[in-house]
Amino acid sequence: MKLKLLPWAAVLFAVISMSFLEKQHKPTLFIIGDSTVKNGQGNGANGQWGWGSLIGQYFKLDKINVKNRALGGTSTRTFYNNPKLWQRVLDSIQPGDFVLMQFGHNDSSPIVDTLRARGTIKGNGDDYQEVYNPLLKQHEVVYSYGFYLRRFVKNIQDKGATAIICSPIPRNAWEGNQVRKSDYATWAKEAAQQANAFFIPLQDQVIAQYETFGKKKVETEFFDPKDATHTIKAGALLNAKLVAEQLKAQTKIGLKKFM
């Protein structure tokens, strides 16, 4: 009798093991970026919201984890180089995961100053600049905005995960009836193409909506009147919706089945 029961016991064990492995391999969508992706603690305490804090509603959270690891004030350089930021995310990435990134608003800051020292070289080139960082009190090699994006992508792909670059959302800055565009969107697209990453033209998507709504509506309903960069909840909801639509439309990314 014991010998006859063994095959069934093996089958039962295999089923339980497969079920356990499926639960263990639930993928994660990591989101990284600056304060336009996660503002403060991500709870809207100051009235400002980043779109990464609201995008989870578009996902089947029983099928995929959504973790917003963005931090206000960061640039590609400071997020990448801070071991408490990128390295912690990188250590958590498993094969089959996804990493969605949006930077650019702080990369235009000074490369060397005594406040934040977070700027990057403009563009998507391989040029670099050797500087003394007064905050870290050490020498540092600073690269371009696009170079850091490509570094993120390389790290992600080496872990067997999928990298997605978003161009930065536009500021509430107008020239007549048109929203001012940023060169960082162009460089983000170039970096994505060179690194073989997926790209979401978020700047263009948002601008199309803003220009349809008109300057007055955008200024009063999507932004804090005293802040041309950070969105209030309605603005973040719009941005999250546009990102989600792109993630779903670009089926090769592989996120549609979790949405």
Side-chain angles (χ1 to χ4, degrees):
M1 288 297 292
K2 290 183 179 179
L3 289 175
K4 291 182 179 180
L5 288 174
L6 279 175
W8 291 103
V11 170
L12 181 60
F13 177 77
V15 170
I16 293 173
S17 297
M18 288 177 65
S19 176
F20 176 76
L21 287 172
E22 285 179 2
K23 290 180 180 178
Q24 288 293 99
H25 286 86
K26 180 180 176 182
T28 297
L29 169 63
F30 294 97
I31 306 171
I32 61 173
D34 52 36
S35 57
T36 63
V37 183
K38 181 181 179 182
N39 199 285
Q41 297 300 311
N43 57 10
N46 63 351
Q48 298 176 350
W49 288 83
W51 58 261
S53 298
L54 301 169
I55 200 170
Q57 63 186 300
Y58 293 99
F59 290 88
K60 300 173 183 176
L61 298 180
D62 60 327
K63 303 293 184 183
I64 188 170
N65 299 308
V66 178
K67 297 183 178 181
N68 187 2
R69 295 292 184 258
L71 181 66
T74 57
S75 65
T76 53
R77 166 190 170 190
T78 55
F79 198 99
Y80 188 88
N81 288 336
N82 189 329
K84 294 182 179 180
L85 297 176
W86 177 236
Q87 191 60 51
R88 284 186 178 178
V89 174
L90 187 60
D91 289 343
S92 300
I93 296 173
Q94 300 294 322
D97 285 345
F98 304 84
V99 182
L100 177 63
M101 69 190 82
Q102 184 228 271
F103 290 96
H105 286 287
N106 299 318
D107 282 75
S108 60
S109 301
I111 290 177
V112 178
D113 63 5
T114 56
L115 183 62
R116 297 195 180 185
R118 60 185 179 180
T120 55
I121 297 173
K122 291 179 172 58
N124 178 46
D126 293 329
D127 44 330
Y128 61 89
Q129 183 176 338
E130 296 185 38
V131 302
Y132 178 77
N133 188 322
L135 298 182
L136 300 178
K137 294 182 173 55
Q138 64 185 38
H139 289 278
E140 181 184 1
V141 179
V142 179
Y143 299 91
S144 75
Y145 165 72
F147 184 92
Y148 286 107
L149 288 179
R150 287 184 274 126
R151 273 193 168 181
F152 282 123
V153 173
K154 179 67 164 57
N155 290 168
I156 294 163
Q157 292 174 342
D158 284 347
K159 295 290 292 264
T162 300
I164 310 147
I165 296 176
C166 289
S167 53
I169 61 169
R171 288 184 166 90
N172 181 25
W174 297 73
E175 295 174 352
N177 295 321
Q178 295 183 319
V179 178
R180 188 181 306 150
K181 293 187 175 183
S182 168
D183 289 332
Y184 285 90
T186 301
W187 300 329
K189 182 178 182 179
E190 291 174 352
Q193 290 173 335
Q194 290 182 9
N196 196 28
F198 291 101
F199 177 70
I200 293 178
L202 186 55
Q203 175 188 253
D204 293 343
Q205 297 285 316
V206 177
I207 286 178
Q209 291 293 307
Y210 283 178
E211 293 181 352
T212 298
F213 294 142
K215 182 179 180 181
K216 184 176 181 180
K217 180 180 175 70
V218 171
E219 288 181 338
T220 57
E221 297 185 23
F222 297 126
F223 283 90
D224 183 326
K226 300 176 183 178
D227 192 322
T229 300
H230 301 102
T231 52
I232 58 176
K233 193 168 187 178
L237 283 168
L238 172 64
N239 296 336
K241 175 176 178 288
L242 294 172
V243 173
E245 288 176 348
Q246 284 289 307
L247 293 175
K248 197 170 185 178
Q250 295 190 39
T251 56
K252 290 183 179 181
I253 293 176
L255 280 167
K256 183 178 180 179
K257 61 186 176 183
F258 302 114
M259 303 180 74

